[in-house]
């Protein structure tokens, strides 16, 4: 093992030091421990002694006996404090920070120094912490990732490593078979912020923090990955602090060859690893999904995860809208502002809403319109459409070439508009008022992230529809109190963000050792999410469940996806999960979810 120069406690004894090597301490792993995964489906969550040490200090929670054993007497303040007291301290510290970015930096350093305390903190207050660890703050953090960098937290695989990726993967400090989930990005389209190059590493880390907090994946069983194929962001290329490769992005051929090597290396080393593709630019997102989905257990979060969550929120919103208008549930017309990876993914998922009600594929497709920067996407508008836009391109528009969204609304008469444009203000007053005039309960989902890119705010949507809107955004917005609400009732904005499902999808794949993440599993995740809304939540006007229940939701999504994986024969757990009834499966999944406790080692 490397030297002990990075020890938190330099004087600690060898036994402690062994687990505090550079790699172990930076990456939350123990090179000795093999407790993460053995056969057939062990709990990775046993908080044994080694685990506690490798997941870092319990600090003042160590008993005096333990301090003696580890050579820590005198290196920790005399007080013995449990997790709750430590939580109080870090919550206060967090609240004392002035900006969201400072809070992000503080939380990241807590994740690196006391992993359990970090997760205990965010799980104890999802509402406050989620926007700091994830959207929207993670967007700013990625933009400045090279500036705020302290220490490595994931794998960086760059073009410089071509031909050596397999040996690079060997450097990841966990035993073979252990990691369960990787999130991989090339940084080329981070949220709605464009090409951030290597700085996209922050999105892999953020998503995996949610995998742990929201789906109970063991922190050590996660691998955040950035593949660095250069960047076309000149600002970074000129910035001396930028930590990525200083070159323009590689050609598509080079790209494919390199990604093939990366996927092969990861899969060979970790055959059960579920690989989530995140924030690849549209063309590459589709390209790699098509290339790998029948070969590896992988999925694309922006195409499939977002599609699933919107299908779920739309289904719940359509039920409310149909009740209010007295029109049939299927009587929906959807106009999407945007035609990138998320938009097409959402469109394709939404088709299953119509197909489940008896529509053919063609009929379902005809209830969906796309609109991009050049106007309504049609086959006769005179430009060459990229392949992914062709599917939803209209042929039935006659002479109509709506150039503005307002024109398109007049033409399409939608019941629902979805914002996937990354352009703030796309849903302006004219657009929103038109939707309110057309519909009893207009469905308006401004989905672009982070908050600054949202097509409209919750307040605007409420104001311009007199509170009639059925709303979900990609990023969080504050609730509107009864006193300020045009309806006299408290209004709660939905957050149609893929975090509702990606954790459950990934968890299902990891637990049943799925050989593939099938499109049907993704659709199942949407149905499970829609079904998870309780009567109380419906009565509160929600179309998505309260995020505080994310663990329960991830469990239920995982259970449904595992059952489908068994039916589709893509699970590879030797019939282990197929042998369980529903309740057994639910309890087993629940038991597999890691909890950030100090457990028996607590003082
Ligand atoms: O990360 C998020 O908040 C949702 C997402 O995948 C994206 O916007 O690319
Ligand atoms: Mg994304």
């Amino acid at each position: 093992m490397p030297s002990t120069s990075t020890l938190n406690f330099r004087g600690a004894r060898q036994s402690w030091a062994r687990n505090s090597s550079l790699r172990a301490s930076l990456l939350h792993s123990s090179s000795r421990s093999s407790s993460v995964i053995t056969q057939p489906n062990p709990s990775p969550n046993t908080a044994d002694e080694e685990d506690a040490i490798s997941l870092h200090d319990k600090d003042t929670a160590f008993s005096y006996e333990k301090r003696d054993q580890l050579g820590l007497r005198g290196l920790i303040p005399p007080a013995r404090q449990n997790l709750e007291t430590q939580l109080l301290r870090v919550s206060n510290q967090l609240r004392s920070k002035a900006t969201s970015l400072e809070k992000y930096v503080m939380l990241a350093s807590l994740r690196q120094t006391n992993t359990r305390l970090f997760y205990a903190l965010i799980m104890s207050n999802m509402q406050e912490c989620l926007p700091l660890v994830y959207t929207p703050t993670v967007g700013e953090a990625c933009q400045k990732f090279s500036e705020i960098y302290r220490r490595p937290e994931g794998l960086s695989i760059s073009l410089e490593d071509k031909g050596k990726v397999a040996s690079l993967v060997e450097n990841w400090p966990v035993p073979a078979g252990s990691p369960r989930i990787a999130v991989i990005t090339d940084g080329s389209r981070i949220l709605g912020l464009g090409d951030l190059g290597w700085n996209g590493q922050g999105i892999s880390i953020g998503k995996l923090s949610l995998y742990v907090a929201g789906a109970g994946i063991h922190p050590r069983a996660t691998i955040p990955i950035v593949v660095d194929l250069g960047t076309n962001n000149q600002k970074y290329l000129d910035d001396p602090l930028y930590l990525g490769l200083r070159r323009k992005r590689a050609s598509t051929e080079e790209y494919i060859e390199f990604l093939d090597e990366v996927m092969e290396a990861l899969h060979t080393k970790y055959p059960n690893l579920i690989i989530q593709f995140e924030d690849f630019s549209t063309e590459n997102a589709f390209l790699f999904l098509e290339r790998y989905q029948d070969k590896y257990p992988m999925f694309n979060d922006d195409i499939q995860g977002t599609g699933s969550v919107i299908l779920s929120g739309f289904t719940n919103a359509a039920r409310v809208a149909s009740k209010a208008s007295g029109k049939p549930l299927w009587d929906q017309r959807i106009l999407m502002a945007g035609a990138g990876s998320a938009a097409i993914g959402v469109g394709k998922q939404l088709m299953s809403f119509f197909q489940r009600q008896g529509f053919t594929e063609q009929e379902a497709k005809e209830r969906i319109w796309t609109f991009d920067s050049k106007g309504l996407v049609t086959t006769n508008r005179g430009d060459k459409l990229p392949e992914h836009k062709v599917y939803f391109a209209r042929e039935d528009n006659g002479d109509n070439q709506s150039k503005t969204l307002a024109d398109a609304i007049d033409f399409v008469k939608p019941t629902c508009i979805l914002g996937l444009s990354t352009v703030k203000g796309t849903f302006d007053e004219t657009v929103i008022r038109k939707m309110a005039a057309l519909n009893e309960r207009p469905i308006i989902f401004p989905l672009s992230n982070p908050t600054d890119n949202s097509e409209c705010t919750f307040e605007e949507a409420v104001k311009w529809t007199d509170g009639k809107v059925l709303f979900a955004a990609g990023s969080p917005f504050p609730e509107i109190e009864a006193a300020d609400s045009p309806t006299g009732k408290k209004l709660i904005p939905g957050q149609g963000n893929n975090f509702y499902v990606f954790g459950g999808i990934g968890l299902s794949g990891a637990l049943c050792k799925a050989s593939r993440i099938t499109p049907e599993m993704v659709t199942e995740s949407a149905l499970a999410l829609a079904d998870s809304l309780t009567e109380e939540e419906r009565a509160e006007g929600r179309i998505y469940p309260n995020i505080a229940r994310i663990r329960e939701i991830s469990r239920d999504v995982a259970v449904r996806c595992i059952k489908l994986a068994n039916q589709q024969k893509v699970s590879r757990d030797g019939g282990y999960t197929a042998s369980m009834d529903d309740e057994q499966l639910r309890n087993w999944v629940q038991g597999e979810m890691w909890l950030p406790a100090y457990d028996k080692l607590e003082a």
Side-chain angles (χ1 to χ4, degrees):
M1 301 296 278
S3 85
T4 57
S5 60
T6 57
L7 279 180
N8 295 336
F9 301 100
R10 279 164 193 264
R13 283 207 329 232
Q14 260 323 100
S15 63
W16 166 265
R18 261 188 309 190
N19 281 296
S20 306
S21 70
L22 175 68
R23 291 190 305 165
S25 71
L26 298 196
L27 300 165
H28 315 142
S29 65
S30 153
S31 61
R32 284 193 290 150
S33 170
S34 58
S35 69
V36 176
I37 291 172
T38 48
Q39 291 300 318
N41 276 287
S43 168
N45 302 330
T46 345
D48 65 5
E49 198 167 302
E50 216 164 1
D51 218 16
I53 296 168
S54 63
L55 285 172
H56 297 285
D57 319 339
K58 295 192 309 169
D59 202 299
T60 50
F62 278 121
S63 65
Y64 284 130
E65 296 71 33
K66 202 72 208 170
R67 295 179 197 199
D68 281 338
Q69 227 178 326
L70 297 171
L72 295 176
R73 189 175 277 272
L75 302 182
I76 295 173
R80 285 170 55 188
Q81 294 182 328
N82 61 17
L83 190 65
E84 280 67 44
T85 313
Q86 293 180 348
L87 262 180
L88 188 64
R89 178 180 298 106
V90 288
S91 302
N92 290 342
Q93 289 172 351
L94 186 67
R95 288 182 183 147
S96 75
K97 302 282 177 206
T99 67
S100 297
L101 190 65
E102 283 172 45
K103 292 180 189 198
Y104 176 94
V105 172
M106 183 204 134
L107 287 170
S109 99
L110 184 60
R111 180 174 54 229
Q112 293 160 13
T113 53
N114 188 341
T115 311
R116 284 158 206 264
L117 188 53
F118 166 77
Y119 284 109
L121 176 63
I122 59 175
M123 286 175 67
S124 68
N125 193 348
M126 284 280 191
Q127 207 88 32
E128 184 176 342
C129 294
L130 213 59
L132 298 171
V133 176
Y134 188 59
T135 306
T137 310
V138 72
E140 186 185 359
C142 283
Q143 287 174 310
K144 299 177 181 157
F145 213 61
S146 292
E147 290 167 52
I148 62 174
Y149 175 82
R150 302 292 197 275
R151 58 209 300 204
E153 268 197 277
L155 269 185
S156 290
I157 312 179
S158 86
L159 264 182
E160 290 294 306
D161 307 312
K162 198 156 183 232
K164 298 181 188 153
V165 177
S167 64
L168 175 157
V169 169
E170 288 294 326
N171 291 340
W172 186 251
V174 283
S178 290
R180 293 185 150 180
I181 313 277
V183 173
I184 188 168
T185 186
D186 70 346
S188 57
R189 196 279 295 151
I190 296 299
L191 307 171
L193 301 170
D195 182 354
L196 302 189
W198 178 88
N199 283 0
Q201 176 73 294
I203 207 73
S204 305
I205 294 167
K207 292 270 171 183
L208 283 166
S209 289
L210 290 203
Y211 259 108
V212 177
I217 298 289
H218 194 290
R220 242 180 18 220
T222 66
I223 319 182
I225 304 176
V226 60
V227 281
D228 187 345
L229 290 114
T231 179
N232 293 339
N233 187 328
Q234 196 58 42
K235 201 172 126 229
Y236 290 154
L237 293 174
D238 294 339
D239 178 357
L241 292 186
Y242 178 61
L243 289 164
L245 283 189
R246 224 161 275 276
R247 55 159 285 172
K248 294 267 190 206
R249 284 197 177 268
S251 68
T252 305
E253 295 75 54
E254 232 180 322
Y255 223 99
I256 293 173
E257 204 185 316
F258 190 61
L259 254 287
D260 281 355
E261 182 186 346
V262 171
M263 291 300 281
E264 183 65 30
L266 286 169
H267 187 68
T268 304
K269 175 77 179 171
Y270 304 121
N272 295 327
L273 183 70
I274 307 295
I275 304 174
Q276 172 171 321
F277 274 57
E278 191 69 47
D279 291 6
F280 281 71
S281 58
T282 297
E283 299 279 298
N284 288 339
F286 282 106
L287 191 157
F288 293 125
L289 180 60
E290 255 160 54
R291 194 170 178 84
Y292 300 135
Q293 68 181 346
D294 295 328
K295 195 165 179 202
Y296 302 115
M298 61 80 66
F299 67 103
N300 182 296
D301 184 39
D302 302 291
I303 298 173
Q304 299 175 290
T306 306
S308 158
V309 164
I310 302 315
L311 169 61
S312 170
F314 174 78
T315 304
N316 283 333
R319 284 184 189 140
V320 179
S322 144
K323 228 172 170 180
S325 67
K327 292 186 188 154
L329 183 62
W330 54 260
D331 193 10
Q332 298 289 334
R333 300 161 69 84
I334 299 165
L335 173 60
M336 291 195 287
S341 58
I344 303 304
V346 165
K348 291 202 167 154
Q349 282 294 340
L350 283 174
M351 285 176 56
S352 72
F353 170 85
F354 296 108
Q355 286 171 294
R356 276 205 320 281
Q357 293 172 67
F359 286 74
T360 63
E361 179 183 340
Q362 184 60 26
E363 288 165 343
K365 195 166 86 164
E366 282 172 4
R367 307 203 75 84
I368 297 171
W369 287 257
T370 51
F371 182 94
D372 67 9
S373 57
K374 298 195 184 81
L376 200 63
V377 180
T378 63
T379 49
N380 63 357
R381 72 179 188 185
D383 59 336
K384 173 148 176 41
L385 296 175
E387 205 181 310
H388 68 273
K389 291 190 188 179
V390 172
Y391 186 78
F392 285 113
R394 304 296 297 206
E395 291 174 348
D396 59 351
N397 57 308
D399 293 335
N400 189 289
Q401 299 290 347
S402 303
K403 290 291 168 214
T404 68
L405 191 60
D407 286 347
I409 289 176
D410 288 340
F411 176 63
V412 173
K413 300 195 175 20
T415 56
C416 165
I417 50 173
L418 303 177
L420 294 140
S421 66
T422 74
V423 183
K424 180 184 176 151
T426 299
F427 296 168
D428 59 16
E429 184 168 351
T430 312
V431 162
I432 293 176
R433 286 200 186 279
K434 277 182 189 289
M435 287 299 290
L438 283 167
N439 300 288
E440 198 61 46
R441 299 293 309 266
I443 302 173
I444 300 180
F445 287 7
L447 296 167
S448 294
N449 293 317
T451 321
D452 280 350
N453 288 352
S454 191
E455 285 78 5
C456 66
T457 65
F458 184 43
E459 213 185 312
E460 289 166 345
V462 166
K463 187 168 69 188
W464 294 328
T465 62
D466 292 325
K468 297 196 305 183
V469 68
L470 292 162
F471 180 95
S475 295
F477 279 100
E479 296 174 354
I480 294 179
E481 294 304 327
D484 304 320
S485 154
T487 64
K489 273 179 74 179
K490 178 171 161 176
L491 300 173
I492 304 171
Q495 192 182 351
N497 191 291
N498 45 35
F499 67 63
Y500 275 113
V501 294
F502 68 70
I505 296 173
L507 179 65
S508 75
L511 291 181
C512 75
K513 299 183 168 47
S515 60
R516 304 283 175 270
I517 303 294
T518 64
E520 292 77 15
M521 285 164 75
V522 176
T523 304
E524 190 67 10
S525 74
L527 303 181
L529 175 61
D531 290 346
S532 73
L533 198 66
T534 64
E535 277 313 313
E536 266 172 328
E537 287 167 338
R538 272 182 222 283
E540 285 177 327
R542 292 179 191 268
I543 48 179
Y544 288 104
N546 189 336
I547 196 56
R549 297 200 298 112
I550 185 67
R551 280 256 167 146
E552 222 177 294
I553 297 160
S554 299
R555 178 200 62 197
D556 294 348
V557 167
V559 165
R560 295 264 293 260
C561 291
I562 289 173
K563 284 174 68 174
L564 198 67
N566 283 323
Q567 278 170 28
Q568 295 190 298
K569 308 214 177 323
V570 293
S571 61
R572 290 176 297 175
D573 59 6
Y576 190 74
T577 50
S579 70
M580 298 181 198
D581 66 26
D582 283 7
E583 197 179 331
Q584 284 170 329
L585 186 58
R586 195 169 61 245
N587 291 340
W588 178 74
V589 171
Q590 178 84 44
E592 283 295 301
M593 293 167 91
W594 180 81
L595 283 169
Y598 290 151
D599 208 59
K600 64 185 182 217
L601 285 181
E602 197 162 343

